[in-house]
């Protein structure tokens, strides 16, 4: 275990022994400032648990106030976690959405997380939904603008196996109103194949509630029906990219931290089969990281190593074992944060956050009634 000291932010613990001393690097001239963009990728229920472990390590070991990041960009599971963070939820509450360590046996082991419910009412209904879901997957994967089937055909062959409506998110405490702080939720227009980023509306022409944004970003084709937002039919942003890391190049942040549950750490890879199944995610992630670096930002990629992936299993929607995923993610991230590269990327952001906190504290101190009285007496 590393030694810890309390930071000035509400007693939050920061590890000091694991971070090597080094002079913070000079930012490239193209970077705007030391703000932080946090990019959270998809990965199902397992991904939610992985995010929670990584984010806690970033706070407690890396000394980064992740909830104060200027922009949070979330895709699928990352959209859920990002929204919950902006709403001020604890990691325990967030990982509970993934089922935690809920025991499961027999057929229960095949059940999805608590936020999913089967939509079929009979075996015949299930078969019809399989047909409709196959069409939905084809449109999403091939990104070919195709005309919609007639309404009667759509009703006969619904494009989803599970239901996840507005009431479900309301039951989990998700409000309609967007929270404070920049939150970008990534989706895909299933009719055009284009990526659509939902965020807090800034004009009457923009539409979409927070619940709709989360539902759309997690609407995995075939599993969930597309979500109607305005005139668009939106599905899971993971259809375009598991992280959409390249969107961070559009922010004004000089530091970008990307958590990618669907990729793997090439320094500590899984076995041959595991690597083959995730290689394309790594390739896309590296390309997108290049886009962000060319825009002038420093990028820290955090992805599971081979040992962690043994806990992830093939079923990313499974309910049991996710507490173990979270703890393993914390330990592995703590190791990664001890590297010189991680320190160099995070040092300017930590310094900027500390300076901002000190500035706010000084402002509060000078504007307090006691300070005003002292100035009057002087």
């Amino acid at each position: 275990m590393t030694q810890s000291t309390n930071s000035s932010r509400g007693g939050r613990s920061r590890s000091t022994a694991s971070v090597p001393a080094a002079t913070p690097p000079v930012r490239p001239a193209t970077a705007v400032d030391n703000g932080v963009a946090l990019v959270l990728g998809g990965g199902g229920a397992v991904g939610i648990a992985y995010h929670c472990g990584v984010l806690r390590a970033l706070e407690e070991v890396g000394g980064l106030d992740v909830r104060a990041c200027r922009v949070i960009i979330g895709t699928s599971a990352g959209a859920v976690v990002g929204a919950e963070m902006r709403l001020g939820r604890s990691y325990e509450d967030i990982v509970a959405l993934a089922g935690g360590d809920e025991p499961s046996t027999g057929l229960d082991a095949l059940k999805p997380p608590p936020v999913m419910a089967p939509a079929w009412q009979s075996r015949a209904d299930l078969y019809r939904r399989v047909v409709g879901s196959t069409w939905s997957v084809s449109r999403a994967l091939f990104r070919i603008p195709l005309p919609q089937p007639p309404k009667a055909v759509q009703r006969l062959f619904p494009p989803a196996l599970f239901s996840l409506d507005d009431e479900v998110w309301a039951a989990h405490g998700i409000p309609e109103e967007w929270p404070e702080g920049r939150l970008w939720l990534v989706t895909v227009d299933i009719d055009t194949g284009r990526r659509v980023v939902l965020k807090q509306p800034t004009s009457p022409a923009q539409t979409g509630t927070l619940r709709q944004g989360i539902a759309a970003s997690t609407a995995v084709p075939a599993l969930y029906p597309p979500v109607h937002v305005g005139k668009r039919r939106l599905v899971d942003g993971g259809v375009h990219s598991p992280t959409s890391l390249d969107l961070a190049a559009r922010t004004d942040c000089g530091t970008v931290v990307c958590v990618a549950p669907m990729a793997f750490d090439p320094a500590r890879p899984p076995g041959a089969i595991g690597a083959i199944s995730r290689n394309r995610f790594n390739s896309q992630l590296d390309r997108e990281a290049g886009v962000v670096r060319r825009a002038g930002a420093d990028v820290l990629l955090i992805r599971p190593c081979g040992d962690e992936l043994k806990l992830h299993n093939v079923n990313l929607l499974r309910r049991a074992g996710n507490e173990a995923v979270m703890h393993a993610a914390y330990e592995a991230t703590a190791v990664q944060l001890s590297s010189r590269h991680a320190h160099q990327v995070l040092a300017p952001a930590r310094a900027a956050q500390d300076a901002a906190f000190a500035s706010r504290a000084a402002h509060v101190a000078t504007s307090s009634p006691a300070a005003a009285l002292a100035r009057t007496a002087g």
Side-chain angles (χ1 to χ4, degrees), residues 175-261:
E176 290 189 344
E177 299 77 17
W178 289 76
E180 293 184 6
R182 291 164 69 182
L183 175 65
W184 297 2
L185 305 183
V186 185
T187 72
V188 168
D189 186 326
I190 194 171
D191 296 312
T192 65
R194 295 178 179 176
R195 181 170 60 183
V196 177
V197 179
L198 299 180
K199 58 186 76 171
Q200 186 172 23
T202 57
S203 71
Q206 294 176 316
T207 59
T209 66
L210 177 62
R211 290 179 194 162
Q212 288 178 315
I214 296 175
S217 190
T218 57
V220 180
L223 295 185
Y224 297 133
V227 176
H228 292 259
V229 179
K231 296 182 179 180
R232 292 188 171 112
R233 299 194 310 147
L234 304 178
V235 296
D236 193 318
V239 170
H240 178 89
S241 164
T243 63
S244 279
L245 170 58
D246 59 303
L247 287 175
R250 304 180 187 179
T251 70
D252 50 1
C253 298
T255 299
V256 177
V257 178
C258 177
V259 186

Side-chain angles (χ1 to χ4, degrees), residues 119-130 156 158 160-161:
W120 64 87
Q121 304 297 321
S122 65
R123 181 169 295 182
D125 187 20
L126 173 59
Y127 293 157
R128 289 195 298 269
R129 289 179 178 275
V130 168
L156 184 60
L161 298 176

Side-chain angles (χ1 to χ4, degrees), residues 91-308:
Y91 293 125
E92 288 77 13
D93 288 340
I94 298 174
V95 80
L97 288 172
D101 267 346
E102 179 179 333
S104 57
T105 58
L107 293 178
D108 283 345
L110 301 177
K111 288 183 178 179
V115 293
M116 296 172 64
W120 64 87
Q121 304 297 321
S122 65
R123 181 169 295 182
D125 187 20
L126 173 59
Y127 293 157
R128 289 195 298 269
R129 289 179 178 275
V130 168
V131 174
S133 297
T134 302
W135 170 259
S136 178
V137 168
S138 300
R139 294 190 61 151
L141 293 182
F142 295 107
R143 303 184 189 177
I144 300 175
L146 298 173
Q148 294 188 39
K151 296 289 186 181
V153 175
Q154 293 184 47
R155 288 193 295 269
L156 184 60
F157 300 100
L161 298 176
F162 297 94
S163 62
L164 187 59
D165 56 23
D166 201 64
E167 294 181 0
V168 175
W169 291 114
H172 282 82
I174 302 296
E176 290 189 344
E177 299 77 17
W178 289 76
E180 293 184 6
R182 291 164 69 182
L183 175 65
W184 297 2
L185 305 183
V186 185
T187 72
V188 168
D189 186 326
I190 194 171
D191 296 312
T192 65
R194 295 178 179 176
R195 181 170 60 183
V196 177
V197 179
L198 299 180
K199 58 186 76 171
Q200 186 172 23
T202 57
S203 71
Q206 294 176 316
T207 59
T209 66
L210 177 62
R211 290 179 194 162
Q212 288 178 315
I214 296 175
S217 190
T218 57
V220 180
L223 295 185
Y224 297 133
V227 176
H228 292 259
V229 179
K231 296 182 179 180
R232 292 188 171 112
R233 299 194 310 147
L234 304 178
V235 296
D236 193 318
V239 170
H240 178 89
S241 164
T243 63
S244 279
L245 170 58
D246 59 303
L247 287 175
R250 304 180 187 179
T251 70
D252 50 1
C253 298
T255 299
V256 177
V257 178
C258 177
V259 186
M262 295 296 293
F264 67 86
D265 184 353
R268 298 172 291 169
I273 296 179
I276 291 174
S277 64
R278 292 173 180 258
N279 267 334
R280 68 184 185 92
F281 299 133
N282 265 21
S283 298
Q284 186 169 5
L285 185 65
D286 290 338
R287 288 195 301 271
E288 293 177 355
V291 172
V292 179
R293 291 187 177 110
R294 287 192 293 275
D298 291 331
V299 180
L300 178 63
L301 299 177
I302 301 178
R303 35 194 168 179
C305 66
D307 289 340
E308 290 176 271

Side-chain angles (χ1 to χ4, degrees), residues 34-57:
N34 291 329
V36 181
L38 180 63
V39 181
L40 305 175
V46 174
I48 292 176
Y50 180 78
H51 280 306
C52 289
V54 170
L55 295 172
R56 175 169 277 167

